[in-house]
Amino acid sequence: MTRLGIMFTPSLPPESLPTVARAADEHLDDLWVWEDCFKQSGLASAAVALARTDRLRVGIGLMPAPLRAVALTAMEVATLARLFPGRFVPGVGHGVQSWMGQAGVRVESPLTLLREYAVALRQLLAGEEVSVQGRYVQLDGVKLDWPPDPAPLLMSGGQGPKTLALAGKVADGILLAAGVSEDDLERSLRSALAERPADLPAPEVVHALIVATGDGAERRLAAEYAMWDVEAAPGRGVAGDAEAVAAAVRALSARGATTVALQPTTYLDAEGVAALVEFAGREVRPLLA
């Protein structure tokens, strides 16, 4: 069955995370945190969510590679993966280029950086000693004292066929950008699988679905589309009752999503998101069985 999760978006303050995480631990499979500049740390948020829950899987989508030295990222990921085995899913991506420019870390070739970074990170998490002199990643005999066993899944993704093709080559799973339609999902998967090595298993595919329920749901979903500057399209969002949400999740699963993370509309506070989580667990999940 498709995994069902919730997105903890940075429109909520960090101190509201435990409320949402505890609700997700009771009702859903996953919680995914964002690392948008200049809002909340993905790793710190993941650590809090993991520490406040017992069974929930917590993912990060996505840590911007330019902001983080790969050796430090490996140390932090390994620590969480060892403390919470099987429950932590890190992810790396380009980062929004305008934000990378603001932070003074924008690079000339984001694809080259992400390729070098993801390869080195996977090697370090596998316990290997890594020496590399790349265009952006330089390591000299770096080896973790405490690598995780097994290494966690590493997600990557974003937008654009070149980025998705790279993610398919170097990552275990694909995290799609927010606001992706069913048709976009299929196109993204074709790009991601085009050059995927034959010895790698099929990737996990995480799709964010904007959800609005209750009175005024259609209006709130339309406002969310306007904020994201996207048009309404199947798979991008859904407004309605449990059957409507379940139908949207089933349709995405049929197109290749292995995990659907519900993305709350920005008007909700922490209690509202927790209520959405409970609704999804009690009313939507039974319809997916």
Side-chain angles (χ1 to χ4, degrees):
M1 187 171 75
T2 304
R3 298 181 68 90
L4 194 61
I6 188 74
M7 289 284 185
F8 182 84
T9 63
S11 59
L12 293 169
E15 59 269 23
S16 64
L17 176 57
T19 297
V20 177
R22 285 192 291 265
D25 197 37
E26 182 177 356
H27 296 289
L28 299 179
D29 302 305
D30 288 4
L31 181 144
W32 291 84
V33 298
W34 292 7
E35 188 162 78
D36 278 3
C37 295
F38 300 92
K39 299 179 181 180
Q40 299 169 20
S41 160
L43 278 162
S45 297
V48 169
L50 288 163
R52 294 295 186 96
T53 56
D54 297 317
R55 46 160 293 278
L56 187 69
R57 191 176 74 160
V58 178
I60 301 178
L62 295 160
M63 294 180 285
L67 276 176
R68 298 179 172 277
V70 68
L72 178 60
T73 299
M75 292 161 56
E76 293 176 322
V77 168
T79 300
L80 288 180
R82 287 184 68 100
L83 285 166
F84 305 98
R87 295 181 53 209
F88 175 48
V89 184
V92 293
H94 296 312
V96 176
Q97 293 307 293
S98 60
W99 291 341
M100 299 303 98
Q102 284 181 273
V105 293
R106 187 168 184 169
V107 298
E108 184 177 358
S109 177
L111 281 169
T112 301
L113 169 59
L114 186 57
R115 183 181 67 250
E116 294 178 354
Y117 197 101
V119 169
L121 181 57
R122 291 188 73 179
Q123 291 172 332
L124 290 166
L125 294 175
E128 300 177 21
E129 181 176 305
V130 182
S131 294
V132 61
Q133 291 297 313
R135 181 174 177 181
Y136 299 111
V137 174
Q138 292 96 36
L139 299 171
D140 182 9
V142 176
K143 187 176 187 295
L144 296 178
D145 283 5
W146 298 102
D149 185 18
L153 295 176
L154 179 65
M155 306 293 290
S156 190
Q159 298 180 3
K162 291 183 179 179
T163 296
L164 290 162
L166 175 61
K169 290 171 67 174
V170 302
D172 299 299
I174 311 299
L175 184 68
L176 300 177
V180 170
S181 69
E182 289 178 14
D183 290 341
D184 293 333
L185 167 60
E186 283 199 346
R187 284 192 292 268
S188 297
L189 275 180
R190 284 196 296 271
S191 296
L193 297 176
E195 301 177 45
R196 189 169 179 83
D199 60 336
L200 289 181
E204 179 166 353
V205 180
V206 180
H207 182 107
L209 175 69
I210 304 170
V211 174
T213 64
D215 294 339
E218 293 282 358
R219 172 181 51 79
R220 293 196 304 274
L221 182 61
E224 204 75 8
Y225 286 155
M227 186 190 72
W228 285 93
D229 194 24
V230 295
E231 299 293 329
R236 185 163 283 155
V238 59
D241 59 10
E243 182 51 55
V245 177
V249 173
R250 288 194 294 266
L252 290 167
S253 178
R255 297 287 190 107
T258 61
T259 295
V260 176
L262 308 183
Q263 182 174 318
T265 53
T266 51
Y267 87 98
L268 289 179
D269 59 12
E271 288 70 24
V273 176
L276 175 64
V277 167
E278 183 174 357
F279 159 80
R282 294 191 186 278
E283 300 186 39
V284 177
R285 281 191 74 170
L287 299 176
L288 301 176

